[in-house]
Amino acid sequence: MVNVGRVGIWSFGLRNDDPNAAGEIRDAAAELERLGYDAIWLGGSPGVHHAEPVLEATSRVVVATGILNIWEYAAADVAARHKAVSAAHPGRFLLGLGASHAGLAEGYRRPYSAMVAYLDGLDAAGVPRSERVLAALGPRMLALSRDRAAGAHPYLVTPEHTALAREILGSDRMLAPEIKVVLNTDLERARATARRHLGFYMKLPNYTNNLLRLGFTEEDFAEGGSDRLIDAAVACGDVEAVRGRIAAHREAGADHAVLQVLTDDRSGLPRTEWRELAAGLGLDRRGS
């Protein structure tokens, strides 16, 4: 199994096809490693090729796709790239896979069956189960993560979901929930930032159905999310609030905390916040 350590960063911005962004991506990735993060998770439906510049800019940190859309990339192509990247950077690449959502993925249908077929293709091409995780929310996909992968990388979840996921996965599978963070001690402003981000997800049934299973209601999804939902799904406040949320997920069974920093500036990388978190969580290795 790829050792992702204890704390990672999840970022849309580090998966960017704009050549003008390449330099900052390399620089930011190298800084995340120096700061002491154990893993970098690339958001925005990345391909394996998006991990390559991040791996090349670093020497220790694990790089994961969080997640690769199975409708967008053929299993045979992914397997070939996985083999090359894993050979160049042994033990440092983790293949995160997901079935995306109806309305977002062309050809979307029967996502569970599609994932099973995709995993069959990866098996046939020799991709080790120990080097892949699934973006699983519901019981069937979590069980598939247990049986056909190294574990699960659930997105937009609460500690209560983490406890349910651990029960299904068992004790020996990786559980790496994504944890949304807003570093702002003004609670109303922090909630507003979170709401602007969550509004998109409140339109996607995979997420809302999972939240309904956790006890939320349709009313909680209106206008980007109720205060109750925001407070449960996003760690708002200072670094201590983030520390507390990480602890809650760990107590529920998480092995690895994947932190996604939300800010009002969606165009840039939240490097100031990454530094603040690293220092506050005791990760910063620059002085060591």
Side-chain angles (χ1 to χ4, degrees):
M1 185 182 296
V2 177
N3 183 7
V4 295
R6 298 284 280 171
V7 181
I9 286 292
W10 194 103
S11 172
F12 279 111
L14 293 176
R15 176 254 187 265
N16 194 327
D17 293 314
D18 183 355
N20 294 323
E24 185 179 15
I25 287 174
R26 289 193 297 269
D27 184 64
E31 183 181 24
L32 285 172
E33 180 170 79
R34 292 195 301 273
L35 288 172
Y37 292 102
D38 299 305
I40 296 172
W41 296 74
L42 304 179
S45 299
V48 177
H49 64 287
H50 290 109
E52 294 176 17
V54 180
L55 286 162
E56 291 165 1
T58 55
S59 60
R60 171 192 60 81
V61 70
V62 168
V63 180
T65 53
I67 52 75
L68 183 147
N69 182 347
I70 64 170
W71 308 101
E72 189 172 347
Y73 300 96
D77 295 338
V78 167
R81 278 197 175 267
H82 175 277
K83 182 178 181 179
V85 168
S86 295
H89 307 278
R92 294 186 54 220
F93 177 66
L94 181 63
L95 180 62
L97 304 167
S100 190
H101 306 271
L104 295 183
E106 185 177 352
Y108 183 94
R109 65 193 181 281
R110 302 181 65 195
Y112 178 85
S113 296
M115 180 62 78
V116 170
Y118 202 92
L119 295 173
D120 290 343
L122 294 181
D123 284 348
V127 176
R129 298 184 183 191
S130 61
E131 296 180 12
R132 64 199 193 205
V133 293
L134 307 186
L137 293 175
R140 293 182 74 205
M141 199 67 81
L142 283 165
L144 193 64
S145 303
R146 176 195 65 212
D147 298 337
R148 302 288 303 274
H153 170 49
Y155 187 90
L156 184 50
V157 293
T158 65
E160 290 74 18
H161 181 274
T162 293
L164 294 170
R166 175 52 70 196
E167 184 176 349
I168 293 171
L169 289 172
S171 61
D172 63 344
R173 291 292 185 267
M174 180 193 307
L175 180 52
E178 177 262 356
I179 303 172
K180 300 183 193 302
V181 171
V182 179
L183 287 176
N184 190 333
T185 55
D186 183 326
L187 182 56
E188 290 309 307
R189 292 183 63 184
R191 284 172 174 163
T193 297
R195 224 167 247 119
R196 282 189 283 273
H197 179 87
L198 260 63
F200 170 76
Y201 300 105
M202 295 300 97
K203 302 173 185 176
L204 300 176
N206 290 4
Y207 293 122
T208 56
N209 288 340
N210 187 58
L211 292 167
L212 290 170
R213 284 192 294 266
L214 294 172
F216 294 96
T217 69
E218 295 286 350
E219 288 73 23
D220 286 308
F221 307 148
E223 299 180 353
S226 66
D227 286 352
R228 181 171 82 111
L229 176 57
I230 295 296
D231 294 346
V234 183
C236 295
D238 57 12
V239 174
E240 285 306 307
V242 178
R243 187 192 299 275
R245 187 60 56 88
I246 293 172
H249 278 278
R250 286 184 175 155
E251 289 169 9
D255 304 298
H256 177 75
V258 187
L259 306 180
Q260 181 183 181
V261 175
L262 310 180
T263 69
D264 291 328
D265 178 13
R266 296 192 178 191
S267 62
L269 298 173
R271 297 178 68 173
T272 298
E273 289 82 1
W274 290 344
R275 294 167 192 146
E276 183 179 351
L277 281 171
L281 296 174
L283 307 178
D284 198 328
R285 299 182 181 183
R286 288 177 297 183
S288 62

